[in-house]
């Protein structure tokens, strides 16, 4: 990294020192009570080697690029961009390392401003992240085509530190899709991602992030968005792969009139453990957040969802909703859903719901009585459970992509 | 050959004996009514014929089209031509009526070794059945029974019966809780599917549906046994006298 931009080099140096002073969380660390990282030794994961572009085809994608999509692929240490020359004053879809070099004035004010560094996974990421990606849309412009970022871990026993920065200036609009994949289903890697999102005043972002890492991989994610006045964020998350870890998804409604819709689905089978830690922070009046997660767990898989709605003093007329529903397909599967409210304003509407259930035998009897064999009846009930989440979106690319991804994943979870 | 034959059926649920030796035979082309006070075991009988997993047959047999189905899987019974309209149909959230009906239709076709139904044939078949059972077309995109009113659920049951064309249908208190219009729809549906090849068993607490669908045979279930059998005149008798006299008769016989 001899030619690295000074601004990154400085941050790395600081993060390296910080990383060495921080220790991994344990079961007594707040927020980590249900996710055990005892088996994790960061020293076992070397840096990502130089990747090979040919590996791109060997990873099973969650999302296919939409027509005309701008794409960046990251394969281990290799970044493959679409070759479009970045032009000042135009929307940028480029490597973060390159952007720090060419457009430091755009990167510096935002990088590290959304996600705090004082966390062992964040510091480790910052010390070692690969080229990363930078999506920037200037004032009142819109990215006419969706962006698809594909991050692939091909090496085993390596750490892939991925970093994404999305900045939408006032009145800008964009749609960014991301997928984290492994090549070898048996590979045991460490995937550490940081996503920082700035939605400017009146700007509009749809951000979709799916992970289908090998079921022997660790995933750690710190993803945080700040939505400014009248801005809108539509955030979709899919957690399909990985063995264990934790993904934080934090939304701060920083400006009056801003809103966020957060939709998540996770599935587990075997001995997978999934952990989503979501925060809806209302820091300004007249803000709206609507979060819905659904989890499907088979065999001995486990999941934890912890959701916090925080309403700061002065964030009057907040309208916040969160729910997490789990369907357990086996007696040994387990889910914890922990909704939380911290409300410091007095004129708000905050509601939450959590459910953990197995398929109702009366549903199966009803369907069997109409001639459906048991496997078919079960599948229909499960499809319905997931469909209710997909129906949060009108017919269109996101509706279709979610349906396709979940239907395919259902075969994996059910082992058919 | 009788179409459906129940022989000396004893059934337990949660260690409690609900049916205590029921004998009942329904022939092809016949409409039977099974009446009785609440708690007499009517719904248990319907559910055990369909094979509810929570019910335990401790003695006796269920014979359908000459085959002993006492231990048969529920879905097999359905594909053999048995149908039960539920007293309380279950909601399947997230599954539209269209998707559900197609899945069911195709399950039957696949089991018969036929190809899946074409979109066009499916639409035509369902639309005809919807017209017959007075189910509005908008139902197609609603989730099955999810948020349906009692009457809507019952009409969906009759719609499914019309589509499935079973050779033996059991209506488990399909008439309860219905207003006059919905009751008429249910009755029309039943009269439409009824025919010389079909057996029908209407389970009811009340008499009013039996004025719209006339049974040839009436059975009265009390305390887990059939205590009275007769023709349509029994309906009139029950209408006039209620169930009290049946209880008195049974107790007198036991004394």
């Amino acid at each position: 990294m001899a030619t690295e931009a000074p601004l990154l080099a400085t941050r790395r140096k600081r993060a390296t020192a910080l990383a060495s002073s921080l220790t991994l969380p344990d079961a007594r660390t707040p927020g980590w009570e249900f996710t055990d990282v005892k088996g994790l030794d960061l020293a076992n994961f070397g840096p990502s080697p130089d990747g090979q572009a040919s590996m791109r085809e060997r990873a099973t994608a969650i999302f296919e690029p939409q027509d005309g999509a701008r794409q960046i692929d990251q394969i281990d240490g290799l970044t493959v961009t679409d070759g479009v020359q970045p032009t000042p004053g135009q929307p940028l879809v480029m490597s973060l390392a390159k952007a720090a070099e060419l457009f430091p004035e755009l990167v510096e004010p935002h990088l590290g401003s959304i996600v705090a560094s004082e966390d062992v996974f964040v510091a480790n990421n910052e010390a070692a992240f690969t080229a990363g990606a930078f999506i920037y849309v200037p004032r009142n412009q819109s990215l006419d085509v969706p962006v698809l970022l594909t991050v692939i871990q091909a090496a085993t026993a390596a750490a892939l530190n991925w970093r994404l920065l999305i900045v939408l200036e006032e009145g800008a609009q964009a749609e960014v899709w991301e997928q984290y994949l492994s090549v070898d289903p048996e590979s045991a890697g460490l995937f550490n991602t940081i996503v920082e999102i700035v939605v400017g005043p009146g700007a509009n972002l749809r951000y979709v992030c799916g992970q289908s890492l090998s079921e022997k991989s660790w995933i750690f994610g710190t993803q945080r968005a700040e939505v400014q006045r009248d801005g809108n964020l539509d955030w979709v998350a899919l957690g399909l792969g990985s063995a264990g870890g934790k993904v934080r998804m934090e939304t701060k409604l920083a400006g009056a009139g801003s809103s966020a819709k957060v939709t998540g689905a996770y599935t587990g089978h075997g001995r997978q453990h999934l952990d989503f830690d979501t925060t809806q922070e209302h820091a300004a009046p007249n803000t709206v957040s609507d979060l819905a997660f659904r989890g499907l767990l088979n065999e001995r898989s486990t999941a934890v969802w912890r959701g916090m709605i925080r309403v700061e003093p002065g964030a009057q007329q907040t309208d916040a909703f969160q729910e997490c529903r789990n369907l357990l397909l086996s007696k040994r599967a387990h889910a914890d859903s922990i909704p939380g409210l911290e409300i410091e304003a007095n004129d708000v509407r905050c509601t939450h719901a959590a459910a953990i259930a197995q398929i109702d035998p009366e549903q199966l009897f009803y369907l069997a009585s109409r001639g459906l064999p048991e496997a078919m009846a079960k599948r229909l009930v499960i499809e319905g459970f997931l469909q209710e989440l997909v129906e949060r979106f009108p017919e269109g690319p996101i509706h279709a992509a979610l349906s396709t991804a979940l239907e395919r994943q259902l075969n994996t979870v059910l082992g058919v | 050959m009788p179409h459906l034959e129940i022989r000396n059926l004893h059934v337990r649920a949660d260690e409690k004996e609900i049916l205590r030796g029921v004998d009942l035979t329904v022939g092809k082309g016949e409409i039977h009514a099974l009446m009785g006070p609440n708690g007499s075991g009517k719904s248990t009988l319907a559910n055990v014929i369909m094979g509810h997993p929570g019910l335990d047959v401790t003695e006796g047999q269920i014979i359908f089209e000459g085959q002993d189905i006492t231990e048969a899987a529920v879905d097999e019974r359905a594909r053999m031509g048995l149908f039960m309209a539920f007293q309380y149909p279950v909601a399947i959230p997230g599954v539209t009526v269209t998707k559900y009906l197609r899945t069911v239709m195709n399950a039957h076709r696949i089991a018969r070794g036929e190809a899946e139904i074409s979109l066009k044939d499916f639409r035509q078949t369902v639309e005809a059945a919807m017209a017959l059972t007075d189910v509005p077309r908008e139902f197609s995109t609603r989730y099955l029974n999810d948020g349906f009113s009692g009457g809507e659920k019952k009409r969906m049951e009759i719609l499914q019966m019309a589509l499935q064309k079973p050779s033996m249908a059991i209506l488990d208190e399909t008439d309860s809780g219905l207003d006059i219009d919905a009751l008429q729809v249910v009755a029309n549906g039943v009269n439409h599917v009824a025919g010389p090849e079909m057996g029908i068993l209407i389970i009811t607490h009340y008499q009013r549906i039996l004025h719209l669908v006339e049974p040839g045979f009436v059975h009265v279930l009390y305390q887990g046994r059939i205590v009275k059998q007769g023709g349509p005149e029994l309906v009139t008798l029950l209408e006039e006298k209620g169930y009290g006299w049946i209880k008195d008769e049974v107790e007198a016989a036991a004394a």
Side-chain angles (χ1 to χ4, degrees):
Chain A
M1 298 193 184
T3 61
E4 187 161 67
L7 96 89
L8 292 190
T10 311
R11 294 195 68 87
R12 275 194 209 284
K13 205 173 150 194
R14 200 171 51 214
T16 307
L18 189 58
S20 63
S21 72
L22 294 168
T23 52
L24 287 176
D26 60 28
R28 284 167 315 210
T29 313
W32 292 84
E33 296 87 345
F34 297 94
T35 292
D36 185 2
V37 294
K38 272 204 295 287
L40 173 65
D41 183 355
L42 295 176
N44 288 343
F45 299 91
S48 280
D50 295 342
Q52 295 169 324
S54 60
M55 289 293 172
R56 172 72 168 88
E57 300 309 313
R58 290 183 43 200
T60 307
I62 310 171
F63 309 122
E64 294 303 329
Q66 297 170 55
D67 285 345
R70 298 280 315 265
Q71 293 195 63
I72 296 178
D73 296 343
Q74 176 83 35
I75 302 124
D76 292 330
L78 174 75
T79 309
V80 184
T81 59
D82 57 7
V84 176
Q85 276 302 316
T87 314
Q90 298 288 314
L92 302 174
V93 177
M94 62 190 300
S95 108
L96 179 59
K98 197 85 184 155
E101 199 182 309
L102 298 178
F103 305 103
E105 73 285 3
L106 298 181
V107 173
E108 190 157 23
H110 301 294
L111 187 66
S113 75
I114 305 294
V115 165
S117 307
E118 285 70 29
D119 172 89
V120 63
F121 297 106
V122 174
N124 273 286
N125 176 294
E126 198 146 40
F129 72 86
T130 51
F134 179 56
I135 316 293
Y136 175 81
V137 186
R139 192 165 177 268
N140 291 335
Q141 292 194 36
S142 101
L143 246 174
D144 298 328
V145 291
V147 174
L148 177 61
L149 308 170
T150 303
V151 190
I152 298 171
Q153 190 154 40
T156 194
L160 205 168
N161 290 287
W162 170 251
R163 185 138 195 162
L164 169 63
L165 174 62
I166 303 175
V167 178
L168 266 58
E169 298 283 12
E170 181 166 3
Q173 190 169 321
E175 182 169 328
V176 180
W177 296 57
E178 244 201 322
Q179 51 184 342
Y180 307 150
L181 314 170
S182 301
V183 169
D184 178 359
E186 294 299 314
S187 71
L190 171 70
F191 195 97
N192 186 0
T193 176
I194 297 181
V195 177
E196 293 183 283
I197 296 172
V198 179
V199 180
N204 220 306
L205 175 69
R206 168 172 284 162
Y207 169 61
V208 183
C209 180
Q211 71 89 355
S212 177
L213 295 167
S214 89
E215 289 166 19
K216 296 191 170 170
S217 297
W218 289 101
I219 181 163
F220 296 94
T222 305
Q223 308 179 321
R224 185 173 164 87
E226 278 195 21
V227 189
Q228 295 166 6
R229 178 178 42 81
D230 298 327
N232 178 264
L233 171 65
D234 187 358
W235 186 346
V236 183
L238 273 179
L240 311 177
S242 77
K246 184 190 214 23
V247 177
R248 302 183 188 110
M249 295 172 56
E250 304 173 351
T251 310
K252 180 175 183 178
L253 297 155
S258 58
S259 59
K261 173 170 153 184
V262 183
T263 307
Y266 52 83
T267 65
H269 70 125
R271 288 173 175 264
Q272 282 182 277
H273 174 74
L274 293 115
D275 179 340
F276 282 95
D277 200 323
T278 66
T279 308
Q280 296 149 265
E281 242 177 278
H282 290 256
N286 295 303
T287 46
V288 179
S289 68
D290 166 16
L291 178 143
F293 268 66
R294 292 213 168 196
L296 184 67
L297 300 167
N298 201 8
E299 295 163 356
R300 302 184 73 163
S301 62
T302 55
V304 51
W305 166 80
R306 184 191 301 267
M308 176 59 75
I309 293 176
R310 191 170 296 131
V311 182
E312 293 183 8
Q316 301 296 9
Q317 301 286 322
T318 282
D319 185 346
F321 173 76
Q322 60 173 356
E323 72 162 352
C324 180
R325 297 186 181 277
N326 290 277
L327 192 59
L328 306 184
L329 303 182
S330 92
K331 287 204 162 60
R332 299 219 249 180
H334 181 83
D336 290 293
S337 288
I338 311 152
L341 298 173
E342 275 178 26
I343 302 174
E344 296 184 62
N346 57 14
D347 182 15
V348 301
R349 198 172 75 120
C350 297
T351 44
H352 60 196
I356 297 162
Q358 302 198 335
I359 295 179
D360 180 357
E362 292 300 325
Q363 286 180 318
L364 295 182
F365 174 58
Y366 183 82
L367 295 173
S369 83
R370 300 297 142 88
L372 295 190
E374 192 179 355
M376 235 179 179
K378 274 191 177 160
R379 194 181 172 109
L380 197 65
V381 173
I382 298 166
E383 283 176 356
F385 172 77
L386 296 172
Q387 186 62 26
E388 285 190 299
L389 193 74
V390 175
E391 291 296 332
R392 280 169 62 87
F393 302 93
E395 297 275 341
I398 185 71
H399 188 282
L402 272 182
S403 290
T404 308
L406 289 172
E407 192 170 331
R408 193 186 319 128
Q409 187 63 15
L410 192 48
N411 292 330
T412 305
V413 171
L414 295 175
V416 295
Chain B
M1 182 179 73
H3 197 39
L4 176 71
E5 194 185 351
I6 312 291
R7 289 184 194 157
N8 186 32
L9 199 66
H10 291 251
V11 173
R12 285 175 167 271
D14 299 327
E15 299 307 308
K16 193 175 163 225
E17 187 161 50
I18 313 270
L19 298 182
R20 303 185 298 158
V22 172
D23 291 281
L24 182 73
T25 300
V26 179
K28 278 193 177 176
E30 295 175 0
I31 298 179
H32 289 240
L34 179 73
M35 304 185 69
N38 286 329
S40 57
K42 302 190 299 290
S43 275
T44 299
L45 181 61
N47 278 279
V48 79
I49 295 171
M50 204 64 234
H52 193 288
L55 298 172
D56 196 11
V57 176
T58 52
E59 208 183 326
Q61 279 114 43
I62 305 164
I63 314 288
F64 180 53
E65 296 200 322
Q67 285 190 50
D68 186 337
I69 60 160
T70 318
E71 300 294 327
V74 179
D75 56 308
E76 254 172 69
R77 299 179 200 215
R79 293 196 302 269
M80 285 173 73
L82 203 53
F83 181 93
M84 174 176 84
F86 278 53
Q87 183 177 7
Y88 302 111
V90 183
I92 314 286
V95 176
T96 61
V97 166
T98 296
K99 177 175 178 162
Y100 164 74
L101 292 177
R102 265 193 99 178
T103 307
V104 169
M105 225 177 260
N106 283 331
H108 285 257
R109 291 171 73 106
I110 289 163
R112 289 195 300 260
E114 295 169 19
E116 293 196 354
I117 191 165
S118 74
L119 204 56
K120 188 171 158 241
D121 289 350
F122 173 75
R123 196 171 297 147
Q124 281 176 355
T125 312
V126 171
E127 276 174 14
M130 281 183 157
L132 171 74
T133 52
D134 201 23
V135 171
R137 262 199 218 182
E138 304 87 80
F139 273 47
S140 308
T141 54
R142 287 176 67 182
Y143 295 152
L144 180 66
N145 295 328
D146 196 17
F148 282 29
S149 71
E152 288 172 340
K153 284 182 188 170
K154 298 295 174 72
R155 276 185 279 161
M156 268 306 299
E157 294 294 282
I158 299 303
L159 170 72
Q160 293 176 63
M161 182 177 75
L163 285 170
Q164 219 152 306
K165 300 192 174 66
S167 62
M168 174 74 217
I170 302 159
L171 278 68
D172 184 11
E173 307 219 12
T174 303
D175 54 330
S176 60
L178 295 186
D179 61 27
I180 296 293
D181 292 341
L183 190 66
Q184 190 65 54
V185 167
V186 166
N188 288 349
V190 175
N191 287 326
H192 179 84
V193 296
E197 290 305 305
M198 195 182 171
I200 295 175
L201 177 63
I202 298 173
I203 293 179
T204 181
H205 182 78
Y206 307 101
Q207 294 79 30
R208 49 186 199 151
I209 190 170
L210 303 176
H211 298 302
L212 301 170
V213 183
E214 279 177 43
F217 309 84
V218 178
H219 316 261
V220 179
L221 189 68
Y222 180 67
Q223 291 184 340
R225 287 196 188 91
I226 305 274
V227 294
K228 201 112 206 149
Q229 304 197 64
E233 74 287 348
L234 202 46
V235 176
T236 320
L237 200 61
L238 286 167
E239 198 157 27
E240 285 164 6
K241 297 169 69 178
Y243 289 108
W245 62 281
I246 299 230
K247 194 179 155 202
D248 297 342
E249 269 192 26
V250 172
E251 277 166 10

